[in-house]
Amino acid sequence: MSNLKNLTGPLSANNPVIVQILGICSALAVTVKMEPAFVMGISVMVVTAFANLVMSLLRNGIPSRIRIIVQLVVIAALVIIVDQVLKAFVYDVSKQLSVYVGLIITNCIIMGRVEAYALGNKPWDSFLDGIGNGLGYAAILLIVAFFRELFGSGTVFNIRIIPESWYIANGGFYSNVGIMLFPPMALIIVGVIIWVHRSFNKDLQEK
Amino acid sequence: METLNLFIRSIFIDNMVFAFFFGMCSYIAVSKSVKTALGLGAAVTFVMAMTVPLNYLLNEYVLAPNALVEGVDLSFLTFIVFIAVIASFVQLVEMIVEKYSPSLYNQLGIFLPLIAVNCAIMGGSLFMQQKVVSGEIDGLWQSIVYGVGSGLGWWLAIVMMAAIRERLQYSHIPSALKGPGIAFIITGLMGIAFMIFSGIKL
């Protein structure tokens, strides 16, 4: 049962993005549309889970002085695999993600979880912890991407939600909110998510 | 002229924080006082100014297709080579600073090793590689300019943010929004302000 907590904790109460404030770096620029956000979420989840697993297996054999370098090598190797897989199977999305796939290496969630959890816990628990944190990260990405794509382009997963006939060009009354497509709106949406989340979780509020 | 354009672009228009969200983790965590923000910004600028040209040379003579051995494309090794250069360079800087200027070492404290995982630095190198392909960076000199410019842009952003957050302590913010929430919203508003530069071309 304690394993289950590793999976569900990071979804809300201990969410890596909005509570631990980790991994924002590579997160927000991929949230213009749902599809790249989804792929990015899955990629980070895979890398976090396996980096946790590998580092947890190696944890007793690494001198602590060189552990950062070892972590970076393990993570970089995993990210290269993910990058090659993305290039092979979803080339368009991999083009959209551009340098952000490489930035998974420096994503603070992965380093953070390896440092804080995997180095002191058993492999299976660490693996689940990685999956859980990856899911929490993906959830925030998808929420942000949902609002940005719905209001910015009128679609969700490239499926049209707001009917074509509503648009001014077709004699309607509606036009897309262009500012949603710009980078600053991603930050503001995350800010609002934190606001809503902390209004319900009073123990997380500062002072 | 093109070099100047690259410099201005990398500071204001393609600002690491406002346009690409690079280095957000330390940006949010360390922007509580102007003094530490200045120190961290200087360190990041220095590391970027050194690692971007280093990675440029590696990219040009080792990683690019046909660079090392005719008919061999090593570009899939990009990530691991770049991060190894950055991590070892940060380690080196840390050791040199510790040996020759213990007072500076104590001031920077934990921020020095943290630079290795600052996305802005890795991002700078990866963007440099993209810009070499697209022809925007041509030659070692321009890669140095790009590294310095991106670092300065990040420095500018974190100092501005720290200054605003120092003043923010006197304002009444809804308690759920205090801390990271308001920091994100302010960064977003600053990003909108920085969009004003987007039309400028020298």
Side-chain angles (χ1 to χ4, degrees):
Chain A
M1 261 349 253
S2 63
N3 282 348
L4 199 63
K5 224 174 146 208
N6 287 350
L7 268 182
T8 54
L11 282 180
S12 167
N14 199 16
N15 188 289
V17 180
I18 58 174
V19 179
Q20 304 173 41
I21 319 289
L22 292 175
I24 309 131
C25 330
S26 54
L28 299 177
V30 300
T31 53
V32 173
K33 297 247 179 203
M34 293 287 272
E35 199 186 358
F38 183 72
V39 173
M40 186 74 179
I42 298 285
S43 311
V44 169
M45 189 175 87
V46 169
V47 176
T48 319
F50 283 96
N52 265 1
L53 180 68
V54 172
M55 288 311 295
S56 177
L57 287 171
L58 294 176
R59 72 184 187 280
N60 293 326
I62 304 172
S64 71
R65 285 181 75 89
I66 58 157
R67 67 178 196 286
I68 302 265
I69 304 263
V70 177
Q71 284 164 16
L72 284 173
V73 169
V74 168
I75 296 168
L78 287 167
V79 171
I80 289 175
I81 295 170
V82 166
D83 184 46
Q84 299 290 323
V85 169
L86 289 183
K87 275 190 182 141
F89 293 104
V90 279
Y91 188 71
D92 293 341
V93 180
S94 125
K95 267 269 168 276
Q96 282 176 41
L97 291 174
S98 73
V99 301
Y100 293 96
V101 178
L103 286 174
I104 298 177
I105 298 173
T106 51
N107 191 316
C108 337
I109 293 180
I110 298 167
M111 281 295 270
R113 290 326 293 175
V114 169
E115 279 281 300
Y117 197 88
L119 287 179
N121 287 281
K122 292 208 177 79
W124 177 240
D125 288 345
S126 308
F127 184 75
L128 287 179
D129 182 76
I131 298 265
N133 278 284
L135 280 177
Y137 173 85
I140 300 298
L141 279 200
L142 287 175
I143 293 172
V144 176
F146 174 78
F147 285 109
R148 285 182 82 187
E149 187 174 353
L150 179 61
F151 292 110
S153 323
T155 58
V156 169
F157 273 113
N158 292 327
I159 299 161
R160 187 144 283 286
I161 300 295
I162 295 168
E164 292 279 0
S165 58
W166 284 17
Y167 283 90
I168 292 175
N170 301 328
F173 56 92
Y174 184 81
S175 76
N176 283 329
V177 188
I179 198 170
M180 279 298 194
L181 299 177
F182 288 110
M185 277 318 283
L187 290 168
I188 294 178
I189 293 173
V190 173
V192 172
I193 292 174
I194 292 178
W195 189 1
V196 172
H197 185 253
R198 294 202 173 180
S199 325
F200 288 107
N201 297 277
K202 295 230 175 349
D203 50 318
L204 293 172
Q205 294 176 6
E206 288 189 9
K207 271 166 259 167
Chain B
M1 210 53 193
E2 246 176 55
T3 312
L4 184 66
N5 193 19
L6 184 74
F7 188 61
I8 302 288
R9 269 195 79 88
S10 57
I11 296 180
F12 293 107
I13 302 163
D14 294 339
N15 186 291
M16 280 287 167
V17 173
F18 299 129
F20 301 112
F21 319 106
F22 286 170
M24 284 297 286
C25 308
S26 37
Y27 172 83
I28 298 280
V30 183
S31 61
K32 275 171 191 151
S33 88
V34 175
K35 206 168 157 248
T36 48
L38 273 173
L40 184 70
V44 166
T45 308
F46 176 69
V47 174
M48 271 189 98
M50 303 305 277
T51 53
V52 171
L54 264 176
N55 283 335
Y56 173 83
L57 290 174
L58 278 171
N59 185 44
E60 202 77 336
Y61 295 109
V62 178
L63 295 172
N66 299 331
L68 197 63
V69 184
E70 200 60 35
V72 177
D73 182 0
L74 289 177
S75 58
F76 68 93
L77 287 176
T78 302
F79 299 153
I80 209 159
V81 169
F82 282 8
I83 198 69
V85 167
I86 292 168
S88 45
F89 189 80
V90 170
Q91 196 90 62
L92 195 72
V93 169
E94 200 186 344
M95 271 149 53
I96 292 174
V97 172
E98 192 180 7
K99 176 117 176 69
Y100 290 104
S101 172
S103 62
L104 182 67
Y105 181 78
N106 287 334
Q107 261 177 22
L108 286 174
I110 53 155
F111 301 130
L112 261 180
L114 273 184
I115 294 173
V117 285
N118 188 319
C119 341
I121 290 164
M122 185 69 178
S125 288
L126 289 172
F127 268 127
M128 177 275 298
Q129 193 192 32
Q130 266 195 352
K131 283 177 192 285
V132 168
V133 173
S134 69
E136 274 176 83
I137 290 180
D138 185 22
L140 182 64
W141 171 237
Q142 290 202 341
S143 77
I144 298 174
V145 168
Y146 180 72
V148 173
S150 307
L152 285 179
W154 197 85
W155 195 353
L156 179 75
I158 194 170
V159 171
M160 280 167 59
M161 183 67 187
I164 293 177
R165 280 182 91 171
E166 277 192 357
R167 305 290 297 181
L168 214 60
Q169 288 173 349
Y170 305 107
S171 55
H172 298 284
I173 304 164
S175 55
L177 201 55
K178 263 184 195 152
I182 194 73
F184 275 104
I185 292 179
I186 289 173
T187 313
L189 295 177
M190 283 159 77
I192 292 176
F194 261 65
M195 274 160 57
I196 205 168
F197 292 112
S198 58
I200 294 175
K201 195 165 166 51
L202 290 175

